Amino acid sequence: MGTAMRKTGWRARAVRHGAFPCAVLMAVVLTACSRKPQPAPATGAGPLRPTGVAADSSLGLRLDLRVEGELARLAARGLLGASLCRQPDSTWVLDPGTPVRGLRIAWRVAEPDSAAIRPSGVVTPWNRIASPEGVIEREVAAVLEALDREGHPLASVTLVGFAVDSLLTAHLEVDPGPPVRAARLGFEGNRVTRQSYMERVVGWKGVRPYRSDDWRVARLRLLDTGLFDAVEGPLFVRMPEPAVQAADSLAATADSLASAEDSLASAADSLASAADSLDLEFLYRVRERSVNRVGGVLGYSGNEGKLFGFLDLELGNLFGTGRRARLLWQGQSQGQTRFELGWHEPYVLGVPIELDLFLNHAIEDTLYAESNWGFDLRWGPAPAWKVRLGWGWSRLVLSGDENSRRNRQSLSVGVRRSMPGAPMLGHGWRIEANLTGVTERAGPDLLEGWWRSQEWTGWRGFGLWMEQQAALVAGPDSLLLSDALRLGGATSLRGTFDGAYRATRYVVQRTEIGPRPRSPAASRVYALLDLAWLREWEPTGTGLYGTSGAHLFLWSAGVGVRTPSRLGDVLLDYAVPGGEPVWQGRIHFGIVSRF
């Protein structure tokens, strides 16, 4: 395939002489006894520490170190031309020289019109310089990054030398290198995912000039698919020379004069293009993750003797195309049961818009049954952003109601923004919001909205994870049971079973804190605290309708653990609702197995 060239920073890829160590700088601009010593030490340069020290051979190394230390101290004060000389009578004479006012970087470049090159007349005052090496490194890095954005990722900088007068001048030579074109796109490590799908995610449409921002966004889009744990690149891989390709093409078409003429024209175009730019293969190295998932959570209330939970099966990246299928069963209290089927299509008619189809059915005792289907369209205008637009149709069958069958339509919009990171290990956050409007002929309109945000961070030996949830439903004074918000369980208020509360609005704060895990795959143990405020939905009449009732403030506390196992990631939480004995808490057990 060729030799991969990693672009990791100006030290490794661009500066031929290496870094700028202080020792090299001192060797260039400092010389001891380089001038004839003056008859007396100059004043104002500080105390002369080595005065009167004998030139005993056993003290030679110590004297050298003290001389170097004195010169370094003076250099830090801008006296780069200072000299320190020992006299025959074993005394020392200091000549501070002319103090340096600042640092100037003089650039020499083959393309002086490049916008990346800084003006040579910019001077950094010496009293603002903590390290000349750091100043030069920052300037070189800024120039190389700018050249990289202009399409010159192989630019290099060479240190020509230093000059000292009233300024310390560093002479640097810049070689922008040839402009680079992406002539081919390759991937390594994709055992399941098809290359055609990955090219579509990246937006590959053939040969194009290199722009660093485009390829940075392409890497983020690959990560945003959720199919990879890591994406490295792009790495640059050299391709065969155009002249070799042209010779092979001519040899292959030597039997046909017309084909030979076409090949000669193509070879000439290729050679002319090669004279102006360098064609490379861009290579991404990926590490795929297991995206097939089966998960479940079971909850048991010792006080009420009830078992509840859910089972979630998802088959991801079907046929290596990014498609997904999902099956969900959820059993809650009060005879509530829910089934859901879903299908995810990553592209619609070749356009980078995701399509989700869903069909679900919910039953609650003998009060009502609801069936609905619809679709969601998601579009990512930028990496880590998702904009959602959805439409749905539902049918309600109510018992004991004059309008026993009611048809509804809904339109929803939403947005999601996230910064990736491992919970309680690094820093990260995620925000998601959604707004839905419901209309029907037989009843008033309805408006539903919800918000969820997560933040996590790791500091020293501890990790902190937090989540905020908020939701409301607005519309008629008398609200249907199926329209009320559900609250409770492992995903909202631990220590209660799923759907334990019905509300017209609520706010939830969930917190986990514990020892910081060593890696994303390591086990973590934490203490948990959940707080909730809600406006309770209170039933009226037959229980099909209700109104906003009392304000409730709830909380629960406990401990939990997340640990990997052969079966999958195991989660176990034990939470006690506020005001109840410790032994009457709720256990939330779940397992997520990837295969």
Side-chain angles (χ1 to χ4, degrees):
M1 180 177 290
T3 303
M5 296 174 285
R6 187 188 306 270
K7 186 170 71 69
T8 59
W10 70 271
R11 282 178 181 266
R13 67 180 174 92
V15 181
R16 297 193 182 118
H17 72 279
F20 295 91
C22 186
V24 174
L25 182 60
M26 296 290 289
V28 174
V29 300
L30 299 180
T31 55
C33 300
S34 60
R35 294 186 296 274
K36 182 178 179 180
Q38 302 298 320
T43 60
L48 188 60
R49 299 174 183 174
T51 302
V53 179
D56 197 330
S57 59
S58 62
L59 299 177
L61 179 59
R62 186 180 303 175
L63 287 175
D64 290 341
L65 294 177
R66 295 189 65 178
V67 169
E68 290 181 6
E70 185 71 15
L71 292 176
R73 184 179 69 86
L74 295 173
R77 298 171 58 181
L79 300 173
L80 299 182
S83 61
L84 189 61
C85 300
R86 191 180 62 190
Q87 299 299 304
D89 59 354
S90 299
T91 61
W92 293 80
V93 176
L94 171 65
D95 180 8
T98 303
V100 172
R101 295 188 295 106
L103 171 65
R104 183 171 69 96
I105 299 178
W107 299 96
R108 187 169 64 195
V109 61
E111 297 180 9
D113 295 334
S114 176
I117 306 305
R118 304 292 181 87
S120 297
V122 176
V123 176
T124 304
W126 195 261
N127 56 4
R128 298 182 182 178
I129 297 177
S131 167
E133 175 188 7
V135 174
I136 296 174
E137 286 187 355
R138 286 192 297 270
E139 290 294 318
V140 170
V143 167
L144 291 178
E145 288 299 327
L147 285 169
D148 188 56
R149 289 192 297 270
E150 292 182 4
H152 296 266
L154 303 180
S156 62
V157 174
T158 302
L159 174 63
V160 178
F162 290 97
V164 181
D165 44 27
S166 61
L167 296 174
L168 171 63
T169 303
H171 294 275
L172 301 176
E173 185 178 66
V174 181
D175 179 9
V180 170
R181 297 195 312 170
R184 185 187 302 166
L185 180 63
F187 300 93
E188 285 185 0
N190 52 318
R191 296 167 297 149
V192 176
T193 310
R194 294 183 181 181
Q195 174 151 335
S196 58
Y197 169 69
M198 299 173 71
E199 290 177 351
R200 180 178 292 181
V201 172
V202 169
W204 175 253
K205 296 181 180 179
V207 179
R208 62 182 180 184
Y210 170 81
R211 291 294 180 268
S212 59
D213 290 343
D214 296 342
W215 295 98
R216 178 186 59 83
V217 170
R219 175 181 174 274
L220 293 177
R221 291 193 182 280
L222 287 171
L223 287 171
D224 200 41
T225 62
L227 303 179
F228 310 105
D229 284 323
V231 178
E232 179 187 5
L235 306 177
F236 303 146
V237 180
R238 293 189 181 276
M239 299 175 60
E241 295 295 333
V244 177
Q245 294 179 341
D248 294 341
S249 177
L250 287 173
T253 57
D255 297 336
S256 173
L257 179 59
S259 297
E261 291 176 353
D262 294 339
S263 297
L264 284 171
S266 176
D269 293 341
S270 179
L271 289 171
S273 173
D276 298 330
S277 62
L278 176 63
D279 289 349
L280 297 175
E281 177 183 1
F282 283 34
L283 176 67
Y284 283 103
R285 290 174 177 166
V286 301
R287 186 171 74 248
E288 289 183 319
R289 67 170 53 168
S290 300
V291 292
N292 297 322
R293 177 173 60 89
V294 56
V297 171
L298 292 177
Y300 178 77
S301 171
N303 189 31
E304 300 165 359
K306 293 182 179 179
L307 185 68
F308 49 89
F310 73 88
L311 176 65
D312 190 1
L313 173 64
E314 183 176 296
L315 301 178
N317 201 15
L318 295 172
F319 315 112
T321 60
R323 297 182 174 92
R324 297 195 303 267
R326 185 187 182 203
L327 171 65
L328 172 69
W329 166 84
Q330 189 173 18
Q332 299 176 338
S333 63
Q334 303 173 0
Q336 302 171 30
T337 305
R338 181 182 183 86
F339 300 92
E340 183 175 337
L341 294 174
W343 178 265
H344 174 80
E345 189 73 25
Y347 281 86
V348 180
L349 301 177
V351 179
I353 296 179
E354 301 176 10
L355 171 66
D356 286 307
L357 302 174
F358 62 87
L359 171 65
N360 56 59
H361 183 71
I363 302 174
E364 181 163 346
D365 281 344
T366 58
L367 293 178
Y368 77 90
E370 180 180 11
S371 301
N372 63 73
W373 64 272
F375 66 86
D376 289 334
L377 295 174
R378 289 183 174 87
W379 173 58
W385 279 94
K386 289 291 183 181
V387 179
R388 173 180 172 271
L389 176 65
W391 178 88
W393 179 90
S394 63
R395 183 177 186 181
L396 277 169
V397 179
L398 309 176
S399 63
D401 186 75
E402 63 276 9
N403 298 317
S404 60
R405 295 187 179 183
R406 306 172 65 170
N407 295 328
R408 291 178 160 185
Q409 296 184 25
S410 63
L411 180 67
S412 60
V413 293
V415 64
R416 186 188 72 190
R417 175 74 168 94
S418 61
M419 187 184 80
M424 301 183 74
L425 185 62
H427 304 278
W429 52 270
R430 183 181 298 112
I431 297 176
E432 191 170 3
N434 190 76
L435 184 64
T436 303
V438 181
T439 62
E440 62 174 303
R441 293 182 179 179
D445 295 342
L446 196 68
L447 189 65
E448 299 177 357
W450 60 265
W451 166 284
R452 182 176 62 182
S453 60
Q454 295 178 350
E455 309 86 28
W456 55 87
T457 184
W459 182 73
R460 294 187 177 179
F462 290 92
L464 174 66
W465 176 90
M466 295 186 296
E467 180 182 76
Q468 298 81 36
Q469 301 178 18
L472 65 87
V473 55
D477 295 334
S478 185
L479 197 65
L480 267 172
L481 172 65
S482 60
D483 295 329
L485 305 171
R486 295 177 174 87
L487 180 67
T491 58
S492 56
L493 182 62
R494 287 166 287 193
T496 62
F497 53 83
D498 289 358
Y501 297 93
R502 304 265 185 163
T504 58
R505 63 201 63 189
Y506 67 79
V507 177
V508 176
Q509 168 68 49
R510 292 153 48 91
T511 305
E512 297 175 1
I513 185 170
R516 185 177 181 180
R518 291 171 296 178
S519 68
S523 301
R524 63 186 182 97
V525 181
Y526 51 87
L528 63 90
L529 175 65
D530 294 349
L531 308 173
W533 167 85
L534 62 94
R535 186 78 182 270
E536 193 174 18
W537 178 87
E538 293 182 350
T540 60
T542 60
L544 277 174
Y545 295 89
T547 59
S548 296
H551 297 264
L552 298 181
F553 296 89
L554 308 170
W555 65 275
S556 62
V559 295
V561 61
R562 302 285 192 276
T563 183
S565 69
R566 292 184 177 180
L567 297 178
D569 295 333
V570 177
L571 60 93
L572 179 64
D573 291 337
Y574 182 79
V576 181
E580 294 193 12
V582 176
W583 58 86
Q584 289 189 355
R586 275 72 168 174
I587 298 175
H588 303 279
F589 173 78
I591 184 170
V592 177
S593 179
R594 297 187 180 273
F595 57 95

